[in-house]
Amino acid sequence: WRLVSSLIYQESRFTENPQSYSGAFGIMQMMPGTAMRVGVNYNSSIEEQIKGGIKLLYMTDTSFAKYIENKTERQKVVIAAYNIGTPHFYDAFELAIKYKKVPLTYNTVMECLRCKTNPMYYNDPAVKYGYINPWYVERFVREIYARYNAYCAVFQE
């Protein structure tokens, strides 16, 4: 719950009905297509939005499990994918496997994701989703985990 709370704070500052310039909406700031996949829309309650966001995190974690065995490392990648979507991460996984950068960790995946700013990599046959510059994703994850760690220090189970 602390990690989800940190994610919500990062996305919406717990504001009830925000909408971003890119079209993301609600407390979990989901894009409409993504929200629809988890049963959420503009009229969904905050509770439904949070349940949808958790469902999305679970689905992403489950699909990434075959690539990243370590749960802690995978969790960071899942949070990063929440920000920019899963497709570019599948490209990063394929690049990591192709260039034998295994086992996959958060740092390895982010390194491969950063490679997608270079035509040599985003034009590679292993890459299906093309160019991306993920400079903001690492900051997104870093800020969420800094807050999460603070929440863990204050709100112990």
Side-chain angles (χ1 to χ4, degrees), residues 69-83:
E69 288 183 33
N70 182 285
K71 183 180 177 181
T72 303
E73 295 293 318
R74 187 173 64 247
Q75 191 175 53
K76 289 179 187 174
V77 177
V78 167
I79 294 296
Y82 191 91
N83 185 251

Side-chain angles (χ1 to χ4, degrees), residues 125-157:
V127 171
K128 295 185 178 17
Y129 299 98
Y131 172 88
I132 191 165
N133 186 348
W135 66 269
Y136 52 90
V137 175
E138 290 174 278
R139 186 180 80 200
F140 179 83
V141 173
R142 191 171 45 252
E143 289 175 2
I144 286 172
Y145 272 88
R147 189 175 310 103
Y148 165 71
N149 289 330
Y151 288 173
C152 287
V154 173
F155 304 108
Q156 299 176 7
E157 290 188 48

Side-chain angles (χ1 to χ4, degrees), residues 1 17 21 26 34 43 55-56 65 69 72 77 84 95 97-98 104 117 120 137 143 145 147 155-156:
W1 69 267
N17 293 312
Y21 68 91
T34 302
N43 297 319
K55 182 177 181 180
L56 177 60
E69 288 183 33
T72 303
V77 177
I84 62 170
L95 286 171
I97 291 165
K98 180 176 182 173
L104 293 179
T117 63
M120 177 180 144
V137 175
E143 289 175 2
Y145 272 88
R147 189 175 310 103
F155 304 108
Q156 299 176 7

Side-chain angles (χ1 to χ4, degrees), residues 8 12-18 26-27 46:
I8 291 171
S12 68
R13 304 295 194 261
F14 295 103
T15 304
E16 194 168 326
N17 293 312
I27 198 164
I46 290 175

Side-chain angles (χ1 to χ4, degrees), residues 1-152:
W1 69 267
R2 292 175 293 237
L3 185 59
V4 172
S5 295
S6 183
L7 175 64
I8 291 171
Y9 181 84
Q10 188 76 18
E11 290 289 13
S12 68
R13 304 295 194 261
F14 295 103
T15 304
E16 194 168 326
N17 293 312
Q19 186 164 347
S20 73
Y21 68 91
S22 64
F25 70 91
I27 198 164
M28 298 291 292
Q29 285 294 285
M30 285 188 268
M31 294 298 286
T34 302
M36 189 170 42
R37 284 194 348 249
V38 294
V40 173
N41 61 51
Y42 291 98
N43 297 319
S44 296
S45 69
I46 290 175
E47 182 179 347
E48 291 168 327
Q49 292 175 35
I50 293 170
K51 285 180 180 177
I54 291 170
K55 182 177 181 180
L56 177 60
L57 291 168
Y58 176 78
M59 289 168 41
T60 305
D61 183 65
T62 301
S63 68
F64 286 4
K66 66 181 176 183
Y67 296 99
I68 306 171
E69 288 183 33
N70 182 285
K71 183 180 177 181
T72 303
E73 295 293 318
R74 187 173 64 247
Q75 191 175 53
K76 289 179 187 174
V77 177
V78 167
I79 294 296
Y82 191 91
N83 185 251
I84 62 170
T86 58
H88 290 290
F89 286 89
Y90 289 115
D91 282 351
F93 299 154
E94 292 305 320
L95 286 171
I97 291 165
K98 180 176 182 173
Y99 293 102
K100 301 183 182 357
K101 295 181 178 281
V102 289
L104 293 179
T105 63
Y106 170 74
N107 289 332
T108 303
V109 172
M110 294 310 295
E111 176 187 333
C112 291
L113 200 61
R114 284 189 303 272
C115 287
K116 288 178 40 119
T117 63
N118 181 330
M120 177 180 144
Y121 295 101
Y122 68 73
N123 290 322
D124 188 301
V127 171
K128 295 185 178 17
Y129 299 98
Y131 172 88
I132 191 165
N133 186 348
W135 66 269
Y136 52 90
V137 175
E138 290 174 278
R139 186 180 80 200
F140 179 83
V141 173
R142 191 171 45 252
E143 289 175 2
I144 286 172
Y145 272 88
R147 189 175 310 103
Y148 165 71
N149 289 330
Y151 288 173
C152 287

